[in-house]
Amino acid sequence: MRKQGGKLVIDNRTVMIQGTGSDVGKSILATALCRIFARKNLKVAPFKSWNMSLNSYVTADGGEIGIAQAIQAQAAGISPTVEMQPILVKPRGKGLSQIIIRGKAIGERGHHKDKKYINWALLKIRESLEKLRSEYDLVVIEGAGSPVELNVKEQDLANMKVAALFKTPVILVTDVDRGGALAALVGTLRLLEAEERDLVQGLIINRFRGDLDLLKPGVSFLEEYTGKPVLGVIPYIKDIRLPEEDAASLRINNGNSRGQDLIKIGVIHLPHLANFTDFSALTLAADVSLKYIKSAGELAELDLIIIPGSKSTTTDLSHLKANGLADGILQAVGRGVPVIGICGGYQMMGERLYDPDHTEGDYNQIDGLGLLAIETTFFKEKTTQQVRARIKGEGLFFDGLKGEEIEGYEIHKGESSYLPNSAGQFNQNKIPFIIRQRSRQRVRVEDGLISADNLHFGTYLHGLFNNDQFRNNLLNKLREQKGLPPLPDRSSYYRGLDADYDQLAAIVAQHLRIDLIEQLLAQGVISDGC
């Protein structure tokens, strides 16, 4: 990295964050680097070659990528594209996963990757990374898991094979809060092949809390023993709430009361829970307690139940029935507790679900919860669209919002049809949303349904609660149900997220040797011969 005409110029256009294990902070540090270098007036793009996740995002052209790279793109101030994650794998159970290549599902396969598949996948990865390198000043690459899982190393498409494509300098991160951080770094380096070890150009110790002086001998040992510089010791960051990448790192709030006026929202924790980032915006409200529900006994005293999306809808619906959650939801409905269904949850709220090709489980047909007058049929083709919609319906959560615009996205295979009432009629006022734009194309599509008693509704729209006016109205309606006054001054989700990116970047930059990283980007990989 050097300066030319007052602007930073990067000779090596890639840098990669790898970790000593899963959930050591790779995603959040990659997000921070995207923001830090974007603030230096560089065009920065994120990249993750291969990812297994049920938390996905739809790009402007209707492609599907993991949520982490969408978040990193937003932190870099750019729009997410499918090139930022050429391979996304979505597990659906029984050893099978849906494979998504550059945003489009191409079919299913098992976990094993033969040499032919690996070579083909590496070609797709290289093509996407080359495209980003040609369009951006810097590509921040995120690895997955650990690069030294020796039992699957030959099949690893997310770590050292990717770094080797363009001799990308690698920064290895560990989580000191777990304990054993020094051993994890040394052990990872020892298990790498010599040419892979040469690619590692620096170390980061993440999530440190305590007296830094006590850690200094460990830092000195690492640098002397490994020959790699410690580029930073990042503190444990508590007050920044960014959407999590996957359910493995889901932080569950036990719903402890923060005041007598607390709104208690329960999200059903499905076995194949997908896109739980739909609910991140709800956690920003100081008067909200959000809890993930695994048993019927946890449904007591909730003010709202949400049934989320699922990668295996009929299988998860069968699970709800088997463990008593379905009956528990219906009993809560009898007490007047409203229910909202998102995507798969919307489908479960209907009368029947048909799955002739077994795309969502082992059932040809299964009865739904009977809360909404719809039936759903699943097809092999998937709908993935960014959408803009207009609020049309009536009911508890739509009062005063008719005509307002919202944004969201669709990711679903099923199509739902409305069922007439006993008189053979259907009330158009029970449709909550009219989709007016799909992936930049003008349309007019009815979406969702409100129950006959106006208390419940379902929709295919992910990202619904990210819309400030809709979310704030919903929370105030729940307060009204409890006899509490509304809170007019609630925070904006996207403004809050942008502020979190800035705060994250500031904290990481303060504790990271940015000057050494800039030198690294200027000179590329230097072999230390160890």
Side-chain angles (χ1 to χ4, degrees), residues 184-390:
L185 287 168
V186 171
T188 299
L189 288 167
R190 293 282 290 179
L191 288 171
L192 291 171
E193 302 293 335
E195 61 271 20
E196 296 172 333
R197 195 158 50 245
D198 285 346
L199 292 173
V200 179
Q201 298 291 293
L203 312 174
I204 291 178
I205 298 172
N206 192 29
R207 295 175 181 154
F208 178 75
R209 40 185 165 187
D211 186 348
L212 189 57
D213 286 337
L214 296 177
L215 187 63
K216 285 180 179 178
V219 171
S220 298
F221 161 78
L222 280 174
E223 294 187 326
E224 181 178 350
Y225 187 86
T226 68
K228 312 290 184 183
V230 174
L231 300 176
V233 177
I234 310 300
Y236 194 98
I237 302 172
K238 296 185 294 183
D239 299 325
I240 294 177
R241 290 175 288 186
L242 299 179
E244 298 282 6
E245 181 178 15
D246 210 352
S249 57
L250 188 62
R251 296 185 177 93
I252 296 176
N253 180 345
N254 289 322
N256 296 326
S257 176
R258 287 169 285 177
Q260 62 181 4
D261 58 347
L262 193 65
I263 298 171
K264 298 178 181 179
I265 299 176
V267 178
I268 303 301
H269 198 300
L270 302 171
H272 300 91
L273 170 65
N275 285 78
F276 61 78
T277 48
D278 281 336
F279 317 115
S280 298
L282 295 173
T283 66
L284 298 179
D287 57 338
V288 169
S289 170
L290 187 73
K291 183 176 182 179
Y292 285 84
I293 306 297
K294 292 186 175 181
S295 65
E298 299 175 276
L299 294 169
E301 299 183 356
L302 292 180
D303 300 305
L304 172 66
I305 295 171
I306 301 176
I307 309 177
S310 165
K311 186 65 190 74
S312 298
T313 306
T314 61
T315 298
D316 283 358
L317 177 55
S318 176
H319 168 79
L320 295 188
K321 293 181 177 183
N323 78 347
L325 265 170
D327 286 339
I329 292 170
L330 295 178
Q331 290 170 14
V333 167
R335 299 193 299 268
V337 178
V339 178
I340 297 174
I342 307 293
C343 198
Y346 168 43
Q347 296 164 344
M348 293 181 198
M349 290 175 70
E351 297 288 344
R352 284 169 297 279
L353 295 84
Y354 301 99
D355 190 10
D357 296 313
H358 291 186
T359 63
E360 295 289 315
D362 296 330
Y363 299 88
N364 291 321
Q365 175 182 335
I366 187 170
D367 289 339
L369 299 177
L371 297 176
L372 297 175
I374 61 168
E375 58 183 21
T376 298
T377 301
F378 294 100
F379 305 103
K380 292 182 178 179
E381 296 77 20
K382 179 189 281 192
T383 297
T384 56
Q385 307 274 3
Q386 278 193 9
V387 302
R388 292 185 63 87
R390 178 168 293 173

